[in-house]
Amino acid sequence: MKAEDKHLKEEGQLFIVATPIGNLGDMTYRAVRTLQKVDLIAAEDTRVSSKLLSHYAISTPMLACHEHNETSVAKKIIEHLQAGRSVALISDAGTPLINDPGYRLVREIRKAGFSVVPVPGACSPVAALSACGLPTDQFTYVGFLPRGGRARGELISELEAAAHTHVLLESPRRLVKTLEDLCSSNMSGREACVARELTKLHETFVCGTLAEVALHFQEHAPRGEIVLLIGPAIEREATDDELITALSTPEMLALPPSKRAGSVAKACNVSKSRVYSLFLEMER
Ligand code: SAM
């Protein structure tokens, strides 16, 4: 048995398998092996998944598992697991349960005492976040904004005050309206990015302030699948390296020490004492 197949040796497990979000090459080796080896694949839409399975010569039988039948499917899957069979869950694209069905199923399977094993891979919000250039030290995944009403207003107010990046999904039909709503809630100057058609031929990142991104999509009608990322309201504090770079420009080097520290502190919005002690360290 190969090392990467070790997790398959135990029977009676549910595997949560991520599949590509556009580029078929993003199917992991372990995902293919898992889908080949399990006894049954629970799929959000068996017609959609049959294309992926035939591409990878996977002939494992499928069972439909969507939002409306999750509870009854959970019962069937528990019977399979009790009989020592293993099962995989996949969605139409990306990581199951991330704005896709499966949450109730996973809970039921865990409650019944069986292991649930993730087989990680493509996930559009994470792919967008990893390449958009906004802070990633802390982020909130929002999914789709409510289409209207109080819930939408409340979420937008939360975004206004947010001190970290927010990751949203949006349909191309509603993107411009959402961007306009965000701009009219005091957020027009906020850093943002629209990540479109990730991993596909027409993958694009449109980055800038929310006002700039909104203008872009008012002029170029959005198409394809979209992740919208909104940067934090509060600017993060400059790092020591950034302050050292700011202190080392030719203009700054021409100034006396105290003035130099004062100018950099003002420009970077940090305390003068912090810049001055950095300056002393540099001199040493
Ligand atoms: N579970 C999926 C995942 O892990 O990416 C997300 C499923 S959610 C129902 C579908 C939404 O995800 C799309 O409407 C779009 O907002 C986003 N999405 C999926 N694939 C994408 C891609 N290739 N590029 C950009 N956004 C994508």
Side-chain angles (χ1 to χ4, degrees), residues 8 13 15 17 57 66 115 119 135 159 230 234 282:
L8 284 167
Q13 298 188 112
F15 296 94
V17 181
H66 42 74
S115 318
V119 181
L159 289 172
I230 301 165
I234 299 157
M282 279 167 70

Side-chain angles (χ1 to χ4, degrees), residues 26 32 80 246:
D26 288 335
V32 175
H80 283 288

Side-chain angles (χ1 to χ4, degrees), residues 21-22 91 93-100 122-125 141 144 168-171 195-200 225-227:
I21 53 171
S91 62
T95 301
L97 280 84
I98 305 302
N99 269 93
D100 275 336
C123 183
S124 58
Y141 176 63
F144 289 97
L168 288 76
L169 304 180
E170 194 48 285
S171 91
R196 260 191 70 241
E197 295 287 89
L198 291 162
T199 77
K200 302 184 204 174
E225 296 195 281
I226 285 164
V227 180

Side-chain angles (χ1 to χ4, degrees), residues 63-276:
L63 161 83
C65 174
H66 42 74
E67 229 184 312
H68 308 292
N69 70 354
E70 253 186 275
T71 312
S72 61
V73 166
K75 284 193 192 122
K76 278 191 203 152
I77 291 180
I78 289 170
E79 283 165 20
H80 283 288
L81 301 180
Q82 280 165 340
R85 293 182 207 111
S86 55
V87 179
L89 172 72
I90 56 176
S91 62
D92 289 353
T95 301
L97 280 84
I98 305 302
N99 269 93
D100 275 336
Y103 161 70
R104 276 181 235 117
L105 175 69
V106 168
R107 272 183 85 84
E108 291 302 315
I109 302 302
R110 284 197 168 277
K111 243 201 305 186
F114 294 99
S115 318
V116 180
V117 181
V119 181
C123 183
S124 58
V126 175
L129 191 62
S130 70
C132 72
L134 292 169
T136 54
D137 49 344
Q138 210 193 340
F139 63 89
T140 294
Y141 176 63
V142 177
F144 289 97
L145 269 183
R147 289 200 196 167
R150 225 169 94 188
R152 183 175 172 93
E154 280 170 5
L155 241 161
I156 291 181
S157 306
E158 240 177 70
L159 289 172
E160 237 182 283
H164 54 267
T165 300
H166 277 64
V167 187
L168 288 76
L169 304 180
E170 194 48 285
S171 91
R173 269 174 298 119
R174 286 188 291 275
L175 179 70
V176 170
K177 163 92 170 71
T178 293
L179 292 170
E180 287 170 353
D181 285 356
L182 295 169
C183 284
S184 39
S185 308
N186 293 326
M187 277 187 272
S188 54
R190 186 78 70 81
E191 269 195 294
C193 176
V194 168
R196 260 191 70 241
E197 295 287 89
L198 291 162
T199 77
K200 302 184 204 174
L201 190 62
H202 298 292
E203 176 180 278
T204 5
F205 286 83
V206 177
C207 303
T209 62
L210 267 171
E212 288 164 346
V213 174
L215 185 67
H216 174 92
F217 285 105
Q218 280 158 354
E219 289 172 353
H220 307 88
R223 294 166 79 167
E225 296 195 281
I226 285 164
V227 180
L228 166 63
L229 305 109
I230 301 165
I234 299 157
E235 277 179 34
R236 66 177 174 81
E237 185 137 303
T239 62
D240 285 355
D241 281 349
E242 285 163 347
L243 294 176
I244 289 169
T245 307
L247 279 166
S248 312
T249 62
E251 298 81 20
M252 287 297 147
L253 289 171
L255 295 176
S258 170
K259 218 162 176 202
R260 204 166 143 196
S263 305
V264 169
K266 198 167 170 208
C268 300
N269 198 21
V270 296
S271 73
K272 188 174 169 184
S273 60
R274 182 176 161 209
V275 182
Y276 200 73

